[in-house]
Amino acid sequence: MPVIWDQSSSVLSQGDILHAGRQGREQDVSVEIPGFGAARVDVAYGGNFSAILEVVRLRRSLPVSALRELTDLGLATVEAVRNTVAIAHPNETEPAMLKAAILAEAGTASRPARNIMVKEPGYFDRSPCGTGTSARMALEHRRGNLGLGEPYRHESILGTVFEGRLVTEADVGGIPAVIPQITGRAWITGACEFALDPGDPFPAGFKF
């Protein structure tokens, strides 16, 4: 996964990530979400498989004040889709395990598309989620709403933003795919150094 850093400032805080090929998979699947009701969801791949639910379909939005309920909704969506849809990557022989849901809101003229990524056992992402952004772009491309090279701004529930674009089309195991590029910010939070002592009798480790 190549990373391109913008070194124009003293802090390496912005970069582009080019992912491998991604593809939209299952569209408009009807599921019964425990505790929330029936809804139609999409499944797309952006490094991981994600169940994508437009929350307006359940007459909901994405306020931070509803974080607990949204986490419960995300986990229930994962369970519902996993029990309904058989998911497999075209280059893998084993079935894929769905663990994440993208609860999504469409963008407007004044606001980018928004989301919260919820992952088992109950995590959520402070960022707009790189794999989730890739999955949403793949899905929008498949729907005909996002062309190659068009910017796609994606905002998290906390207001952090990634900007993505689709670089080129590809083929993954005979399935149409796209190569997304994600631009965002990151901060260095620590550093670690390892050394090999010449007196160490097992410098390369050991195994039984």
Side-chain angles (χ1 to χ4, degrees):
M1 182 187 297
V3 177
I4 306 166
W5 292 103
D6 176 5
Q7 300 185 47
S8 59
S9 67
S10 59
V11 180
L12 300 182
S13 60
Q14 181 164 311
D16 296 339
I17 299 175
L18 281 78
H19 292 273
R22 312 300 185 207
Q23 68 274 12
R25 295 293 289 137
E26 304 292 337
Q27 288 185 269
D28 212 27
V29 178
S30 180
V31 296
E32 184 69 32
I33 302 174
F36 294 92
R40 305 193 76 84
V41 303
D42 304 287
V43 178
Y45 184 82
N48 299 302
F49 282 102
S50 297
I52 302 175
L53 170 65
E54 300 285 346
V55 291
V56 69
R57 294 176 177 178
L58 290 174
R59 299 181 181 179
R60 282 172 166 78
S61 59
L62 298 178
V64 175
S65 59
L67 180 59
R68 181 68 264 172
E69 181 187 29
L70 293 172
T71 302
D72 291 342
L73 173 57
L75 295 176
T77 300
V78 170
E79 179 184 355
V81 174
R82 196 160 55 204
N83 292 337
T84 305
V85 182
I87 301 171
H89 190 283
N91 289 342
E92 302 291 337
T93 57
E94 297 295 321
M97 178 60 72
L98 180 71
K99 295 184 178 181
I102 303 292
L103 305 182
E105 283 184 332
T108 67
S110 60
R111 192 195 68 196
R114 300 181 71 236
N115 91 107
I116 176 173
M117 188 282 290
V118 179
K119 185 175 182 179
E120 293 180 329
Y123 307 129
F124 76 95
D125 203 327
R126 63 174 253 175
S127 80
C129 184
T131 56
T133 301
S134 298
R136 284 195 78 178
M137 288 196 296
L139 181 62
E140 290 303 310
H141 182 70
R142 185 171 178 179
R143 288 172 170 169
N145 297 331
L146 184 67
L148 297 180
E150 294 181 15
Y152 182 82
R153 288 180 61 81
H154 200 206
E155 183 179 276
S156 77
I157 194 173
L158 299 180
T160 54
V161 177
F162 283 164
E163 182 169 299
R165 65 187 68 242
L166 300 175
V167 178
T168 187
E169 294 180 333
D171 181 279
V172 177
I175 294 177
V178 285
I179 306 294
Q181 176 178 303
I182 308 293
T183 301
R185 294 175 61 86
W187 291 264
I188 297 173
T189 57
C192 184
E193 183 177 286
F194 294 90
L196 293 178
D197 191 310
D200 185 347
F202 305 107
F206 62 90
K207 69 177 181 178
F208 295 99

